[in-house]
């Protein structure tokens, strides 16, 4: 995609959604970190259902450690891989207490050193908590970047590097939110809804999917 088209691409997404935010629910940086860790291979909707009661009870790493692994599992047992995730959340809570005075660190290196925290999770936290211009590449972002030829790449790391190079100001901070939401609700995996896509003319994807057929009600003579 040409640079002029990239600017137009994000201009249109920004016009349609001027203030995009993560759909995960949280009230502080620690809860954000926990929610993002829990969201791996799970939906935001499923994570939110599980964490509403949890986050009423737990707001700090110390409270999470006090809850314990068994107690945490009872809250998140509806989430995929909940056993591993519970172990990681307790371990990262302990690490935050020991190494960071109970605070979520700002930098990627410190974040990815925490149990259960990979680069994508670190990028989300840095962006949503601290306003960093990071590009978290999940399955939606990876698909949209490749399908539209915005930033094609064979790996999430390759796509992230291209987005970091190509996305212009003033779109850098919110770019990954626009791409996630676009992939989740419009540029869907199986059947992209090209007929209502605001950037369809900038996208080389073929064939464009037509609008669903509407049935004409039968008239009774």
């Amino acid at each position: 995609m040409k640079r002029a088209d990239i600017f137009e691409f994000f201009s249109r997404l920004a016009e349609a959604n001027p203030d995009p935010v993560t759909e995960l629910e949280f009230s502080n940086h620690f809860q954000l970190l926990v929610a993002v860790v829990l969201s791996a291979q799970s939906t935001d909707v499923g994570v939110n259902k599980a964490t509403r009661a949890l986050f009423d009870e737990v707001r700090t790493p110390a409270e999470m450690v006090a809850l314990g692994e068994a107690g945490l599992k009872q809250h998140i047992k509806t989430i995929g891989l909940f056993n591993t995730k519970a172990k990681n959340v307790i371990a990262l809570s302990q690490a935050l207490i020991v190494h960071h005075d109970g605070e979520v660190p700002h930098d990627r290196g410190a974040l990815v050193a925490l149990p259960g925290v990979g680069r994508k999770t670190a990028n989300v936290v840095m962006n949503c908590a601290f306003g960093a211009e990071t590009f978290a590449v999940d399955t939606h972002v990876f698909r949209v970047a490749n399908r539209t030829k915005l930033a094609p790449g064979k790996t999430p790391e390759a796509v992230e590097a291209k987005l970091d190079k190509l996305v212009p100001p003033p779109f850098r901070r919110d770019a990954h939110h626009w791409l996630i939401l676009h992939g989740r609700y419009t540029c869907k995996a199986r059947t992209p809804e090209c007929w209502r896509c605001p950037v369809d003319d900038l996208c080389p994807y073929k064939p464009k999917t037509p609008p669903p057929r509407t049935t004409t009600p039968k008239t009774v003579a």
Side-chain angles (χ1 to χ4, degrees):
M1 190 178 291
K2 298 178 181 178
R3 288 186 180 272
D5 289 342
I6 292 174
F7 192 94
E8 179 65 18
F9 181 97
F10 283 107
S11 294
R12 295 184 193 177
L13 295 183
E15 183 178 2
N17 186 1
D19 298 300
V21 294
T22 178
E23 294 186 323
L24 291 171
E25 298 172 359
F26 60 94
S27 61
N28 61 33
H29 295 169
F30 173 66
Q31 290 183 347
L32 168 65
L33 174 60
V34 171
V36 179
V37 169
L38 295 178
S39 71
Q41 300 182 47
S42 302
T43 67
D44 289 359
V45 171
V47 172
N48 290 337
K49 287 180 179 178
T51 57
R52 283 174 191 139
L54 172 65
F55 289 165
D56 283 342
E57 182 179 348
V58 174
R59 297 179 58 84
T60 67
E63 290 174 345
M64 187 66 77
V65 171
L67 177 65
E69 189 174 326
L72 176 56
K73 285 180 182 180
Q74 290 304 306
H75 282 283
I76 66 170
K77 59 187 177 182
T78 58
I79 299 175
L81 306 175
F82 74 94
N83 285 310
T84 299
K85 290 176 180 179
K87 183 178 296 185
N88 284 334
V89 168
I90 296 301
L92 74 81
S93 299
Q94 292 170 331
L96 289 175
I97 294 169
V98 172
H99 301 295
H100 302 285
D101 296 322
E103 299 294 328
V104 176
H106 291 65
D107 64 284
R108 184 183 288 113
L111 284 165
V112 297
L114 297 171
V117 177
R119 185 179 181 88
K120 184 188 75 174
T121 295
N123 282 342
V124 173
V125 172
M126 292 169 65
N127 179 273
C128 296
F130 306 116
E133 294 179 349
T134 55
F135 302 88
V137 180
D138 69 352
T139 56
H140 299 299
V141 175
F142 186 79
R143 178 176 66 256
V144 172
N146 277 283
R147 183 181 277 166
T148 64
K149 305 303 181 186
L150 170 68
K154 294 183 177 180
T155 66
E157 291 77 14
V159 170
E160 179 187 343
K162 286 190 176 181
L163 288 172
D164 193 24
K165 179 181 179 181
L166 295 172
V167 176
F171 308 117
R172 294 178 60 82
R173 178 174 175 178
D174 294 324
H176 93 271
H177 288 302
W178 283 313
L179 295 174
I180 288 171
L181 296 172
H182 188 62
R184 184 173 291 163
Y185 296 113
T186 304
C187 195
K188 299 176 181 179
R190 293 187 178 181
T191 308
E193 298 181 0
C194 302
W195 70 89
R196 63 180 192 87
C197 174
V199 293
D200 64 325
D201 59 313
L202 303 175
C203 171
Y205 175 77
K206 302 291 183 182
K208 302 290 187 184
T209 51
R213 293 181 179 179
T214 56
T215 56
T216 304
K218 293 182 180 179
T219 57
V220 179

